[in-house]
Amino acid sequence: LQGMTVLVNTALIEVVRLPAKVEGSLIHLEAGTLYVANSCAGFNYLMSGLTLGAAYAFLFARHWQSRLRIVLVAGGVAIVSNWLRVFGLVLV
């Protein structure tokens, strides 16, 4: 998750043409250096999303295919929201 977060944020930095240099998990900006630590990689977001998705699926979906789809979408939304959170920190 840490590598994916850095990779996506590198792409977003290039899209907005922010002057930055990425070395491993470090993002060097004019204002300073950000380290994308394991704790910022999104594991907590992923676990929360999967838990909420599983609870919702258990309560409101009847078929196992629908339940699985709900849990997968919730996990995906959680990961993408973490990427956007980290990018927001880069912009700030």
Side-chain angles (χ1 to χ4, degrees):
L1 288 175
Q2 183 180 19
M4 288 176 20
T5 301
V6 172
L7 183 67
V8 168
N9 275 276
T10 301
L12 291 173
I13 288 169
E14 290 175 6
V15 167
V16 297
R17 297 182 184 185
L18 188 67
K21 181 179 178 184
V22 179
E23 293 177 332
S25 296
L26 297 173
I27 302 173
H28 301 284
L29 303 165
E30 292 176 0
T33 300
L34 287 138
Y35 173 63
V36 180
N38 282 332
S39 59
C40 293
F43 181 75
N44 292 333
Y45 271 64
L46 177 61
M47 290 297 108
S48 298
L50 292 175
T51 302
L52 290 172
Y56 183 87
F58 179 74
L59 292 172
F60 299 109
R62 292 184 178 203
H63 303 291
W64 71 268
Q65 294 96 341
S66 298
R67 289 180 177 175
L68 179 62
R69 204 171 303 126
I70 289 169
V71 171
L72 292 176
V73 167
V77 167
I79 290 173
V80 170
S81 66
N82 182 65
W83 293 341
L84 294 175
R85 178 188 66 86
V86 173
F87 184 63
L89 292 173
V90 169
L91 290 177
V92 170

